[in-house]
Amino acid sequence: MVIKPEIQGVVARTAHPYGCQQAVQAQIAFVESAAPITQGPKRVLILGASSGFGLASRIALTFGGAQAATLGVSFERGPSVKGVGTAGWYNNIYFKQAAEQQGYIAKNIVGDAFSPQIRQQVAQMIRDEFDGQVDLVIYSLATGVRPNPENGDMWRSCLKTVGENVSGFSVDLEKDSLVPAELTAANEDEILATTKVMGGEDWQEWIDFLLAEGLLATGAKTLAYSYIGPESTYPIYHHGTLGIAKQHLHHTATVLNQQLSQCVEGQANVVVCKALVTKASVFIPTFSPYILCLFKVMKQLGLHEECIEQMQRLFADKVYAEHDEQSSLTDENGLIRMDDWELKPEVQQQVDGLMAQMNVDNFKQVGDYAGYKSAFLALNGFGFSTVDYTQSVDLDALSCLTP
Ligand code: NAI
């Protein structure tokens, strides 16, 4: 079949396998030519490894100097009668192929990271393939649901404000337009559910489990990714339901840091990243105009980074840099700031100026809509000049490939 991009609102309904391969290859090529990670970990578990920051972390740690063996957990779907499968499915396959071609260990477990069965599979895999321990655990899950282990019901996160409703605009990628959007105020149950899904509880449970099973090496680190953003976006993010969940994540890092330092002389940190186009972030209502303006300004100033640039800089310059004293690594709240360039005053001043001018008619000129859309298409394997999108793709042959 010939695979074309099909977008519904902000959801991609198709992914192009060979485009996903190109996307992985492009990220590998970037880290191979970047300043290397010199003191990196050798065995890494990545929860949420198939796209966005998790995939970029995996590529950086394998090909960007550390030569790490990686175990990636993700929730993805392969080809079937229902469709071609998800981009993350193909990212897993082509990452593993590229890693194995260069002699690196790369294992994938596809399933629900919240389930006890997947935890057991991870433990077995670490024992069988990673000499029984890992040196780094990356927590990069982004999801809307988490099962409550006590009764099997689902906690569902929601993207809402806390207090006042906020109205604004969101990008519609299907219609290439800016459409009115509103964030309504969450109730207590919705705030709690969002914290259950995107807060630190599951991260804590993973680390408790790995410690109890003796699967963390001496000096093991764990990292989770977060977002804060500039004050102008606080009502929609930092002070909203997701922001509250992230505060919980930040608090969890403090608890985990103490626990890991006592148990394995280890360390836990939250990394605050830059706003980027990922499968998860395009969903946040009223947030996209900010990203359009941010991309425009950061590209003009030569400061723009995608996930892969962020992650290579994180490991090479911060977490595994030679001078990695905790005090210089983090801010006063113990957070590693990869949003340092996003929050530069000159960036934010210019972003504010563009935001003030932007409307439904001029958003493509005022903001970097072309860059936003092409980043979204690339996530799903579209827009690569090296792929002939008119060629038919043999899904039967692809279904023989396993992640
Ligand atoms: P993404 O959607 O690209 O990746 C999410 C990953 O989680 C995928 O590998 C997916 O398969 C996996 N996943 C989801 N549910 C799962 C489950 N039940 N079991 C196993 N795997 C599951 O998301 P993105 O944007 O890379 O987000 C990762 C983290 O980075 C999140 O905590 C997010 O809040 C944070 N972040 C994102 C920013 C952005 O602008 N995209 C900015 C700063 C932080």
Side-chain angles (χ1 to χ4, degrees):
M1 77 188 274
V2 172
I3 305 173
K4 303 250 175 260
E6 278 173 35
I7 304 174
Q8 213 172 17
V10 292
V11 179
R13 294 287 174 211
T14 52
H16 200 288
Y18 300 125
C20 293
Q21 182 176 27
Q22 290 304 304
V24 168
Q25 288 295 347
Q27 293 187 62
I28 293 173
F30 169 76
V31 299
E32 282 179 341
S33 64
I37 304 161
T38 50
Q39 321 239 312
K42 292 294 162 219
R43 297 159 301 176
V44 184
L45 166 62
I46 300 141
L47 302 164
S50 59
S51 60
F53 285 107
L55 175 65
S57 304
R58 190 177 200 187
I59 291 173
L61 290 164
T62 301
F63 293 97
Q67 306 189 331
T70 57
L71 168 53
V73 179
S74 59
F75 211 12
E76 301 293 349
R77 207 177 51 248
S80 71
V81 284
K82 287 192 189 150
V84 18
T86 54
W89 176 267
Y90 296 105
N91 292 340
N92 282 336
I93 288 172
Y94 292 115
F95 169 81
K96 185 175 168 196
Q97 246 179 35
E100 288 181 345
Q101 269 164 15
Q102 295 205 27
Y104 302 124
I105 293 174
K107 302 287 173 194
N108 290 311
I109 293 179
V110 179
D112 185 0
F114 297 120
S115 76
Q117 293 83 347
I118 292 294
R119 269 183 206 158
Q120 292 301 338
Q121 279 184 39
V122 165
Q124 198 56 47
M125 186 75 89
I126 294 175
R127 290 193 190 99
D128 293 346
E129 305 284 347
F130 293 78
D131 292 332
Q133 289 187 321
V134 290
D135 311 297
L136 173 64
V137 179
I138 292 178
Y139 191 86
S140 188
L141 298 181
T143 175
V145 290
R146 173 180 167 211
N148 179 340
E150 280 169 19
N151 56 18
D153 287 353
M154 288 291 180
W155 284 303
R156 290 181 194 282
S157 69
C158 63
L159 302 165
K160 292 196 172 188
T161 61
V162 173
E164 304 282 304
N165 292 2
V166 172
S167 45
F169 291 89
S170 285
V171 158
D172 181 330
L173 287 157
E174 182 185 349
K175 302 204 173 77
D176 293 320
S177 59
L178 206 53
V179 292
E182 185 164 39
L183 279 173
T184 52
N187 62 35
E188 287 301 319
D189 288 346
E190 290 171 322
I191 296 170
L192 178 73
T194 309
T195 301
K196 287 283 182 189
V197 179
M198 288 299 286
E201 196 171 81
D202 181 62
W203 185 24
Q204 173 82 57
E205 286 178 12
W206 265 100
I207 298 301
D208 287 344
F209 171 77
L210 295 166
L211 276 173
E213 297 284 322
L215 299 170
L216 296 182
T218 304
K221 296 183 200 294
T222 186
L223 301 173
Y225 300 137
S226 182
Y227 184 70
I228 293 177
E231 276 182 40
S232 58
T233 64
Y234 279 7
I236 51 179
Y237 192 98
H238 187 50
H239 291 163
T241 48
L242 258 186
I244 290 182
K246 291 296 187 191
Q247 300 281 3
H248 186 272
L249 188 82
H250 301 182
H251 175 68
T252 305
T254 311
V255 176
L256 287 178
N257 200 35
Q258 274 178 1
Q259 193 178 345
L260 283 179
S261 75
Q262 278 164 16
C263 299
V264 291
E265 297 163 43
Q267 198 176 310
N269 283 107
V270 160
V271 181
V272 184
C273 300
K274 166 184 189 278
L276 275 167
V277 178
T278 66
K279 203 172 71 183
S281 70
V282 292
F283 258 107
I284 305 173
T286 72
F287 195 61
S288 39
Y290 170 73
I291 302 194
L292 296 187
C293 297
L294 183 72
F295 276 26
K296 179 96 171 203
V297 171
M298 290 188 82
K299 284 181 185 176
Q300 274 170 355
L301 295 176
L303 294 173
H304 183 70
E305 293 176 302
E306 299 285 340
C307 291
I308 194 66
E309 285 91 351
Q310 281 258 292
M311 294 299 102
Q312 183 71 12
R313 182 160 73 93
L314 168 70
F315 297 117
D317 292 4
K318 306 233 174 184
V319 180
Y320 294 106
E322 294 209 12
H323 54 276
D324 68 353
E325 303 256 323
Q326 184 74 7
S327 55
S328 63
L329 183 63
T330 64
D331 69 6
E332 64 283 9
N333 298 313
L335 303 168
I336 301 176
R337 304 304 296 253
M338 295 306 296
D339 58 349
D340 44 356
W341 297 355
E342 172 178 353
L343 296 186
K344 278 175 183 280
E346 65 267 33
V347 171
Q348 287 304 320
Q349 268 157 22
Q350 291 188 38
V351 168
D352 287 346
L354 294 183
M355 292 282 285
Q357 289 170 39
M358 185 178 272
N359 60 42
V360 292
D361 298 318
N362 68 11
F363 73 99
K364 290 183 189 163
Q365 292 76 43
V366 172
D368 180 24
Y369 182 69
Y372 186 94
K373 177 108 187 220
S374 70
F376 179 79
L377 288 171
L379 288 177
N380 299 292
F382 295 105
F384 290 89
S385 58
T386 43
V387 176
D388 181 354
Y389 292 99
T390 62
Q391 288 292 308
S392 180
V393 174
D394 182 351
L395 282 189
D396 289 337
L398 282 170
S399 46
C400 300
L401 301 176
T402 45

